[in-house]
Amino acid sequence: MITTRQLQDEIIRLKKENDICILAHAYQSHDILEVADYTGDSYGLSKQAAKAPQKNVLMCGVRFMAETVKILAPEKTVYLSNSGAGCPMAEQLDVELLSSLKENNPDYTVVAYINTTSKLKTICDVCVTSSSAVKIVKNIDNDKILFIPDCNLGAWVKDQVPEKTFKFVHGGCPTHLRMSTMNVMQAKMAHPDAKLLVHPECLPEVSKEADYIGSTTGIMAYAKESSDKEFIIGTENSILQHLQYECPDKKFYPLSKDCVCHNMKLTTLMDVYNCVRGAGGEEITLDEDTRLKAKACIDTMLTLGE
Ligand code: 13P
Ligand code: SF4
């Protein structure tokens, strides 16, 4: 039987041999992060997409992330490591519903969380990620913002940009919605000295209790740089594992044992191995019209986010 270490060595050999760049979102398991060329949050991965010198990109994450790479780097062959890995939030709004919302709100700028399908992006004005949303919304030359589809991320942005008017559509991340104020109370009672770090996809009443709110990369950077020794982590639980490797002297506790994204967890190291040897994954294809229209709002994100 092949071991994890042997599998990782083979992946590293094969990705070089086959000119493949492996991008891995921070919600992937640690054995996958170790073989990746770049790991990070959604914003970091988007910026990395076009920069990779390799002609092939393997995205270990969910479908919209692989689509983002294809949108920004059409000349590359892009693969999603496990074709079943989607983001349920990305499917919450379709083109028909958003079109009618736009008709009813013609003077609003449509700000779409990057966790949306490419089709939906074709009728949005600008994309945002958790680490770039506040800056981008501040930089938009309009005071009226229609924020889709994550109301919780939207509410967090609204708090920091009170000078603008926001409209939201019902939506959110099913993984982060599992965390409640009851979890906060229990975790704080069990670990009174720990700092609470949460993702802005959490419910506002959960975020309100936090010492820090930020993207996956933001949470990891805060915990690494802090002089505190204990942290309650309110985001997908793989972040705890990565932090334990990075900071063996600090202690990390999950805000909820249920904060597991089953889509992110679909990809295994064996999937990655199969992809780099040409026996797995799904090649991402987009029609040129969709790609170009979706690219406009991602380009705007990258411009307003810098
Ligand atoms: P970030 O890595 O941008 O914080 O995104 C979190 C997420 O839920 C991605 O699906
Ligand atoms: Fe989608 Fe939430 Fe999973 Fe991220 S954590 S991929 S937003 S379901």
Side-chain angles (χ1 to χ4, degrees):
M1 190 188 68
I2 192 161
T3 65
T4 300
R5 190 182 297 174
Q6 287 166 337
L7 207 53
Q8 287 178 318
D9 288 345
E10 266 305 277
I11 292 170
I12 291 166
R13 187 183 69 77
L14 284 165
K15 74 172 181 176
K16 283 188 191 131
E17 195 172 288
N18 296 328
D19 200 25
I20 302 171
C21 168
I22 301 181
L23 301 180
H25 185 265
Y27 290 162
Q28 297 291 295
S29 55
H30 204 78
D31 52 357
I32 294 176
L33 258 54
E34 283 176 351
V35 295
D37 296 276
Y38 181 85
T39 66
D41 63 11
S42 310
Y43 192 68
L45 292 174
S46 311
K47 283 203 300 187
Q48 207 59 32
K51 275 197 219 156
Q54 296 86 343
K55 72 177 194 329
N56 306 296
V57 175
L58 172 61
M59 172 57 76
C60 302
V62 290
R63 183 170 295 276
F64 77 83
M65 296 176 173
E67 287 185 358
T68 304
V69 177
K70 188 67 189 173
I71 289 167
L72 292 171
E75 71 290 354
K76 295 189 195 293
T77 309
V78 179
Y79 298 92
L80 175 63
S81 48
N82 186 312
S83 65
C87 168
M89 179 157 50
E91 309 291 337
Q92 285 169 347
L93 264 187
D94 59 25
V95 170
E96 288 69 35
L97 182 52
L98 183 57
S99 301
S100 77
L101 286 165
K102 281 175 57 146
E103 257 171 54
N104 295 332
N105 299 282
D107 47 350
Y108 277 69
T109 294
V110 180
V111 176
Y113 195 16
I114 199 163
N115 302 37
T116 40
T117 61
S118 300
K119 270 266 171 279
L120 199 76
K121 286 184 178 87
T122 62
I123 57 164
C124 297
D125 296 308
V126 55
C127 278
V128 293
T129 69
S130 54
S131 56
S132 61
V134 172
K135 185 173 187 184
I136 290 171
V137 168
K138 279 185 180 165
N139 283 341
I140 290 171
D141 191 19
N142 186 358
D143 284 348
K144 295 189 175 123
I145 306 293
L146 178 62
F147 196 101
I148 59 145
D150 189 341
C151 299
N152 301 319
L153 176 70
W156 175 69
V157 175
K158 182 175 186 267
D159 276 354
Q160 289 165 89
V161 194
E163 65 279 15
K164 297 206 178 192
T165 305
F166 286 77
K167 279 193 183 177
F168 303 112
V169 191
H170 183 71
C173 163
T175 305
H176 287 81
L177 286 174
R178 289 186 205 127
M179 289 178 287
S180 65
T181 46
M182 181 64 88
N183 294 135
V184 174
M185 222 172 67
Q186 287 169 341
K188 284 192 170 186
M189 262 168 61
H191 310 291
D193 297 328
K195 288 276 186 286
L196 174 62
L197 319 182
V198 309
H199 195 278
E201 287 175 11
C202 289
L203 288 163
E205 59 264 36
V206 169
S207 297
K208 197 167 79 62
E209 303 296 327
D211 297 289
Y212 173 80
I213 307 169
S215 76
T216 50
T217 301
I219 289 175
M220 289 180 69
Y222 183 98
K224 278 190 269 180
E225 284 156 24
S226 169
S227 54
D228 288 291
K229 295 283 176 227
E230 293 182 61
F231 303 88
I232 301 161
I233 303 295
T235 192
E236 217 282 338
N237 284 341
S238 29
I239 298 295
L240 275 104
Q241 192 195 11
H242 308 325
L243 281 170
Q244 277 157 353
Y245 275 77
E246 297 229 30
C247 318
D249 297 332
K250 295 184 178 180
K251 288 197 169 132
F252 301 97
Y253 314 105
L255 178 54
S256 161
K257 288 177 203 162
D258 294 329
C259 194
V260 174
C261 175
H262 301 296
N263 279 277
M264 283 285 183
K265 288 281 118 53
L266 266 188
T267 300
T268 62
L269 191 67
M270 192 53 89
D271 286 333
V272 181
Y273 171 63
N274 284 331
C275 290
V276 292
R277 70 188 180 100
E282 177 188 331
E283 184 181 342
I284 300 295
T285 54
L286 291 171
D287 69 77
E288 194 58 2
D289 185 51
T290 303
R291 189 189 74 79
L292 286 174
K293 287 183 181 148
K295 184 173 184 292
C297 69
I298 297 178
D299 283 344
T300 311
M301 167 182 91
L302 295 171
T303 308
L304 296 182
E306 290 308 308

